[in-house]
Amino acid sequence: MTTLVANTIGLFGGSFTNWLKKLVVKAQAAQARNATIKELSRLTNHDLNDIGISRGEIRHLADEHYKNIVNANLKGWV
């Protein structure tokens, strides 16, 4: 559905299409960030220790994951 909308709107202006694609990527990255926080938060401190992170690093790691998704998917668009 998103591709159809983006392609249809692309007929009317490329810059709007690029903006829409960026918006979709950012929304998907935000979902991935929230899922990362949720999954890591479910682990016990012992399990987190086993994989080498502390509970205080969870949000930072999720934010880095978000930035990696957004930057990797937007290369060449900006």
Side-chain angles (χ1 to χ4, degrees):
M1 172 82 178
T2 305
T3 305
L4 176 63
V5 171
N7 289 339
T8 304
I9 293 172
L11 298 173
F12 303 109
S15 63
F16 182 75
T17 304
N18 287 340
W19 174 81
L20 186 60
K21 288 178 183 177
K22 290 176 191 177
L23 185 64
V24 169
V25 168
K26 287 182 179 184
Q28 291 171 342
Q31 286 177 337
R33 177 182 55 203
N34 293 338
T36 301
I37 291 171
K38 188 175 181 179
E39 290 297 319
L40 289 176
S41 295
R42 288 181 178 170
L43 297 176
T44 65
N45 288 339
H46 180 67
D47 292 337
L48 288 172
N49 227 5
D50 284 347
I51 60 174
I53 62 173
S54 68
R55 191 159 301 279
E57 294 176 301
I58 291 174
R59 188 162 301 275
H60 172 72
L61 292 171
D63 287 339
E64 288 299 312
H65 182 62
Y66 171 85
K67 291 175 189 174
N68 289 339
I69 291 172
V70 170
N71 290 335
N73 286 322
L74 294 181
K75 283 185 179 172
W77 292 5
V78 290

